Amino acid sequence: ENQEEASTTEPQVESTKDSIISPTELPTNDLTQEEDTPTSDLELSVEASTPPMTQEALRLLPAGTIIDIKEVGATIMENCFYHEEITDDIKLRIVGNSYKDNCTVPFEDLNYIRILYYGFDEETHIGELIVNTAIADDIVSIFAELYESKYPIERMVLIDEYNADDNVSMAANNTSSFNFRPVPGSTHLSKHALGLAIDVNPLYNPYVQYNED
């Protein structure tokens, strides 16, 4: 009975120095296996051999996805903070929505941005924006700093996910930029129409308009 209990109880197998059980009472092959391949070393080996996620793999994940930064590894800045030209798949999402039929801004003047943000849930999320090409570099750098500072952002998807409706997007506290539209109550184009303005957490940082009075 003592032999059976020792061979099935893992803590007694590991205690080889102070245990009152003689090593001869334990199965030799089990003891050797514990010494040769400890679990902690095996876990470290698996983790070290797991390749980081590529930019292509991350690109397949929709904005808002929670990611484990350990899976990104040292390539976090290269693969998670970048901007690029408006590709065909992005055009399919925005044409007829934020990029309206009367839009006078050429696609060449806009860039698609992918970044990471620190969510209200204290998790790391993928975020996306469309901004003017002229400020794309600066915007990527700014949001990288916000992420490193753990500045909380609730949501960051293209406003097209809300049918380019500013009120619906703001009600969801969605951080967004480009939307070809006029200033509310005016015929003048908003800076959002040029991708030169960003609403960050607009539910808590609302647009306020003052009368001349």
Side-chain angles (χ1 to χ4, degrees):
E1 292 180 356
N2 291 338
Q3 287 181 332
E4 180 179 354
E5 182 179 355
S7 62
T8 59
T9 305
E10 187 175 350
Q12 293 177 340
V13 173
E14 292 180 349
S15 304
T16 57
K17 291 184 179 180
D18 301 327
S19 175
I20 60 174
I21 300 175
S22 171
T24 58
E25 297 181 85
L26 300 173
T28 305
N29 58 341
D30 290 347
L31 182 62
T32 304
Q33 184 177 0
E34 288 291 331
E35 293 178 346
D36 292 345
T37 56
T39 303
S40 58
D41 289 346
L42 179 61
E43 290 174 348
L44 289 174
S45 176
V46 171
E47 183 176 347
S49 63
T50 302
M53 293 184 70
T54 63
Q55 189 177 102
E56 291 74 16
L58 289 166
R59 178 66 184 268
L60 295 176
L61 301 176
T65 299
I66 297 174
I67 67 169
D68 183 352
I69 58 173
K70 293 179 181 179
E71 297 181 359
V72 181
T75 63
I76 182 170
M77 294 306 298
E78 177 184 353
N79 289 337
C80 298
F81 292 86
Y82 64 92
H83 62 90
E84 62 186 15
E85 296 179 355
I86 305 298
T87 55
D88 289 341
D89 61 319
I90 301 300
K91 290 178 182 178
L92 288 174
R93 295 174 60 190
I94 68 176
V95 171
N97 290 307
S98 62
Y99 197 93
K100 298 170 177 60
D101 294 337
N102 64 339
C103 186
T104 56
V105 181
F107 286 119
E108 291 76 16
D109 286 357
L110 301 172
N111 262 204
Y112 176 73
I113 284 178
R114 292 272 283 198
I115 57 95
L116 297 180
Y117 66 90
Y118 188 74
F120 281 14
D121 55 4
E122 300 183 352
E123 299 282 359
T124 295
H125 298 252
I126 296 174
E128 62 180 355
L129 291 169
I130 290 179
V131 302
N132 195 285
T133 303
I135 65 171
D137 274 336
D138 290 336
I139 297 303
V140 169
S141 297
I142 289 171
F143 277 100
E145 291 182 13
L146 291 178
Y147 175 71
E148 291 176 353
S149 301
K150 293 188 175 181
Y151 179 87
I153 296 174
E154 185 166 7
R155 189 171 287 105
M156 191 188 302
V157 297
L158 299 186
I159 199 170
D160 307 270
E161 299 299 319
Y162 301 94
N163 296 318
D165 188 318
D166 275 300
N167 291 327
V168 178
S169 178
M170 288 189 291
N173 204 28
N174 180 53
T175 296
S176 66
S177 179
F178 174 74
N179 190 15
F180 191 80
R181 61 170 177 79
V183 175
S186 170
T187 57
H188 301 292
L189 285 178
S190 164
K191 287 189 176 181
H192 287 279
L194 305 175
L196 292 173
I198 299 176
D199 292 331
V200 179
N201 293 332
L203 188 63
Y204 304 122
N205 300 293
Y207 170 78
V208 179
Q209 187 174 14
Y210 296 94
N211 294 325
E212 293 182 359
D213 298 338

